[in-house]
Amino acid sequence: MAASALTPHGTAFPEEGRCGYFVEKKKRFCRMVVAAGKRFCGEHAGASEEENARKRILCPLDPKHTVYEDQLAKHLKKCNSREKPKPDFFIQDINAGLKDETEIPDQLVPISSLSEEQLENLIKKLRKASEGLNCTLKDQIMSHPALHDALNDPKNGDSAAKHLKQQASILGNIENLKLLGPRRCFVEFGAGKGKLSHWVDIALKDAEKVHFILVEKVTTRFKVDGKHRKKNSVFERLQIDIQHLCLNKIPLLSKEKLPVVGIGKHLCGVATDLALRCLVETYAASCEERNEEPLAKRIKNDKTEKEINTLAKEGNEKNIPEKWTPVAGIVIALCCHHRCDWRHYVGKEYFRALGLGAVDFHYFQRMSSWATCGMRKTTLEASNISTKRRDEQIDGSEEHDDGGYRITDDSAESLPGFLTVEEKKKIGHLCKLLIDQGRIKYLQQKGFSPALQYYIEPLVSLENVLLTALPNHSSPPETSA
C-alpha cells in the first residue's frame, strides 16, 4: 500500500474488524464496523468488486446516507430520519398567524434591482411612518453577581466574553423587572445550549419550585442541561419549532400552573413573533378562558385590584398580595429583523394603520440589515474584515440558536450608490425600530406594558436591543419605548 495510505499511527492496515476503505479527505481508514467475512462497511461496499453484487441506493428520507435496495423497506422503519410521532404539545401552525393574510406576491425584485426613484419612495414612506417615534432608546446595560467569576475568568476568549456580558445584562434586566424569583417557569425560546437558563438557575440558587422549559427546533451539541441536578429546579428540553408549540399541552405547565417568564437571547426575526404569539395569544388567552370566573367573583377581584393599586401608591409594596398571571413577563434580546415574515409578524395591524402593507414590510425588513451587516466593507474596516467576519460567525453560533439563521443580505456593493454609508445605517435602524414598534403595539393590545432598551454596547453585539414586557397589573418596567 502506498505511503499516503498510512494512518497517523503509521500502520498501513485498518484496525481489526473495521472497514478497509481509506478516506482520502481524512487521511485515515473508515472506522465503521464490518459484517463477518466482509472487508468494507455498507457505505463503502461498492469499493470492492466481490461485494458489489447488491445495489446500494440513496435513502429517500435522507440522501446523506445509502442503503441496500433489497433492504429498503426494513431500513425505512428504523431510519433516524423517519418522521417521529408528534407530541401532544405539537399543534400544526398554532402560532403562525392566518394563512389568508399572505399578501406578498410570489416574485419580488431584490433591493439592488429597484430603481433610484422606487427606493426613494420607499425611504419617504419609512420616514413618514416613523414620525413621532423615539429613535433614541434608553441604555439599560446591567450585570449580575451570578456571572462575576465567569466574567473575570482569564481563560475567556473574545467570543466567550461577549456572550457572558450579554447573558449578565439580560439576567440583570430580568431581576430589575422582579421576575427572578421562586415558583415560576422560565421558557427559553431558541435555547441552543441552554446557557441563559443555566445562569438564571445559578442566580436563583435554592429557590423553590423553579422549572425551565428549553425550546429548540434543531438538535444541539454541548448542551448544559445535564449540569443541573438541584432538587428544586427541573429542566425539560423540547425539540420543536415555536410555530407549532402549544404551551397549554405541556404536562409540567398544566399540572403546576406556575406563572411563565418567556426569555431568549438573540431570538431571530420570525422566531420572536412566533414566541410572542405563543406566550400572549395561544397560552395566556387560553388560560384566561379556562379560568373564567363568575361575574360576582370578578367584581370582588376588581375591588381587590383597586386596593392593591392603593397600597402600591402608598409605597407598601411588601404587603401587596401576589396575583397569579399566566405570563408573568417577557425578556427577549432581538435579532435579525431581515429574517422576519409578514404572515407571522404580530404588528400587521400597526403597519396597516400607517397605510403600509406586506410589500412595504418586505422591503423594510430587508433594508433593516443595513444597520448591522450592510457596511462591513468600508474603507476603514478593510484591514479588519477577516476578524469581523470571524466574530459574526462566532456570535451566530449561539445567538442564532433558534434555527441556524445567518446574517446574510444584500452586500455593500449592491446597495444604492446615492446613499452614504451613514445614511444607510440610519435607515436600517429606522426599519428595525418600526418593526419593533409593531411588536410593542401588539403587546399593549394584549394587556402588557412593553419596553425597548439597549442592553449591551454595540461593540459587544450590534444586535443590542432588548424587548421586555410585564402584565399591566404588575409594576411597569423602569424604561420606556
Side-chain angles (χ1 to χ4, degrees):
M1 186 171 288
S4 62
L6 294 177
T7 66
H9 300 289
T11 175
F13 301 98
E15 297 175 33
E16 187 177 350
R18 304 286 173 168
C19 178
Y21 182 84
F22 187 79
V23 185
E24 190 65 39
K25 184 178 179 180
K26 297 184 178 180
K27 301 298 179 187
R28 62 166 174 78
F29 287 102
C30 171
R31 291 172 181 161
M32 293 289 287
V33 176
V34 296
K38 299 291 184 180
R39 182 184 169 195
F40 297 96
C41 68
E43 286 294 317
H44 300 123
S48 171
E49 291 182 6
E50 64 271 17
E51 294 183 13
N52 203 23
R54 296 171 70 191
K55 184 181 178 183
R56 290 189 71 85
I57 60 174
L58 295 176
C59 173
L61 299 179
D62 181 7
K64 291 180 180 177
H65 66 274
T66 61
V67 60
Y68 283 117
E69 189 174 28
D70 57 3
Q71 289 188 338
L72 179 60
K74 182 180 178 182
H75 171 79
L76 292 177
K77 293 178 182 178
K78 60 181 181 179
C79 179
N80 288 333
S81 298
R82 71 190 185 281
E83 187 175 357
K84 311 293 191 303
K86 303 295 184 191
D88 291 340
F89 52 78
F90 179 99
I91 299 181
Q92 186 73 37
D93 294 331
I94 189 170
N95 303 313
L98 299 177
K99 285 185 178 179
D100 58 356
E101 293 192 84
T102 50
E103 306 160 22
I104 299 181
D106 293 334
Q107 296 294 327
L108 280 172
V109 298
I111 292 176
S112 56
S113 299
L114 294 177
S115 67
E116 189 171 315
E117 183 181 357
Q118 288 174 315
L119 193 58
E120 282 179 340
N121 288 335
L122 270 174
I123 293 170
K124 284 178 183 176
K125 273 189 177 183
L126 173 67
R127 286 179 173 148
K128 184 179 179 182
S130 305
E131 285 177 2
L133 289 183
N134 180 12
C135 298
T136 306
L137 304 182
K138 183 177 178 179
D139 284 333
Q140 194 75 357
I141 300 169
M142 308 188 79
S143 191
H144 195 279
L147 286 94
H148 180 268
D149 291 342
L151 284 166
N152 292 287
D153 188 343
K155 296 179 182 178
N156 287 336
D158 289 343
S159 175
K162 284 182 178 182
H163 287 304
L164 288 168
K165 286 177 183 177
Q166 292 173 74
Q167 288 152 355
S169 185
I170 294 171
L171 193 55
N173 276 279
I174 293 173
E175 185 174 56
N176 186 54
L177 294 168
K178 300 176 183 176
L179 295 173
L180 201 62
R183 308 186 70 80
R184 58 197 62 196
C185 178
F186 292 87
V187 180
E188 183 180 357
F189 294 95
K193 299 172 188 176
K195 291 281 186 73
L196 185 55
S197 292
H198 165 79
W199 291 115
V200 171
D201 187 44
I202 288 175
L204 286 169
K205 297 180 181 177
D206 295 319
E208 64 176 42
K209 289 199 94 170
V210 178
H211 297 278
F212 293 89
I213 295 175
L214 281 63
V215 182
E216 177 57 66
K217 76 174 183 179
V218 296
T219 305
T220 307
R221 299 176 67 194
F222 310 118
K223 299 183 285 288
V224 296
D225 314 15
K227 295 181 180 179
H228 300 271
R229 294 285 185 268
K230 293 194 301 188
K231 293 181 181 179
N232 296 328
S233 61
V234 176
F235 274 70
E236 182 177 355
R237 179 173 284 266
L238 309 180
Q239 188 175 335
I240 186 174
D241 192 316
I242 304 169
Q243 183 169 330
H244 315 300
L245 174 61
C246 181
L247 291 176
N248 313 331
K249 300 287 185 180
I250 298 174
L252 188 151
L253 282 177
S254 58
K255 180 183 176 183
E256 298 289 344
K257 296 192 183 300
L258 295 172
V260 165
V261 180
I263 60 176
K265 175 176 174 285
H266 284 225
L267 197 56
C268 287
V270 64
T272 295
D273 296 303
L274 294 173
L276 293 178
R277 192 177 279 111
C278 176
L279 288 167
V280 307
E281 202 166 322
T282 306
Y283 181 64
S286 64
C287 285
E288 288 168 5
E289 286 173 11
R290 210 167 49 227
N291 298 323
E292 192 170 344
E293 302 166 333
L295 179 61
K297 194 171 181 181
R298 286 205 306 273
I299 292 171
K300 186 179 179 181
N301 284 343
D302 289 341
K303 289 180 180 178
T304 305
E305 192 163 329
K306 287 177 183 177
E307 291 171 7
I308 290 171
N309 292 335
T310 303
L311 285 169
K313 288 177 182 176
E314 292 172 357
N316 299 322
E317 292 184 6
K318 291 182 181 178
N319 299 321
I320 297 175
E322 187 176 343
K323 182 177 178 180
W324 184 86
T325 178
V327 179
I330 300 169
V331 182
I332 294 175
L334 303 174
C335 183
C336 295
H337 294 70
H338 65 277
R339 303 297 293 192
C340 289
D341 184 278
W342 176 252
R343 176 190 170 184
H344 305 310
Y345 180 52
V346 296
K348 288 197 286 282
E349 284 186 26
Y350 173 70
F351 260 62
R352 288 177 182 138
L354 293 171
L356 303 172
V359 175
D360 300 309
F361 178 83
H362 170 80
Y363 285 117
F364 290 166
Q365 52 115 348
R366 300 307 294 171
M367 288 157 60
S368 70
S369 66
W370 296 355
T372 56
C373 60
M375 283 67 66
R376 293 297 182 193
K377 295 182 181 179
T378 59
T379 306
L380 292 174
E381 295 172 332
S383 60
N384 298 322
I385 190 165
S386 59
T387 306
K388 289 262 188 182
R389 281 180 176 164
R390 186 167 62 252
D391 287 344
E392 287 165 22
Q393 290 167 357
I394 290 168
D395 285 348
S397 66
E398 182 167 331
E399 291 170 351
H400 306 285
D401 282 336
D402 63 299
Y405 294 135
R406 297 286 186 268
I407 299 180
T408 55
D409 206 294
D410 304 277
S411 65
E413 290 88 353
S414 66
L415 297 179
F418 69 92
L419 294 171
T420 66
V421 167
E422 202 55 40
E423 285 173 334
K424 293 167 194 170
K425 189 175 178 180
K426 287 179 180 177
I427 289 168
H429 280 296
L430 209 53
C431 289
K432 292 166 83 72
L433 183 64
L434 191 66
I435 291 171
D436 288 339
Q437 191 62 27
R439 292 163 171 166
I440 291 290
K441 295 295 182 184
Y442 169 81
L443 287 168
Q444 288 173 343
Q445 289 174 359
K446 297 298 179 182
F448 285 78
S449 299
L452 295 169
Q453 53 264 315
Y454 294 121
Y455 78 101
I456 204 73
E457 299 91 347
L459 288 175
V460 175
S461 176
L462 291 170
E463 297 283 12
N464 62 339
V465 175
L466 190 71
L467 171 65
T468 63
L470 294 175
N472 281 334
H473 59 74
S474 301
S475 302
E478 295 181 10
T479 58
S480 58

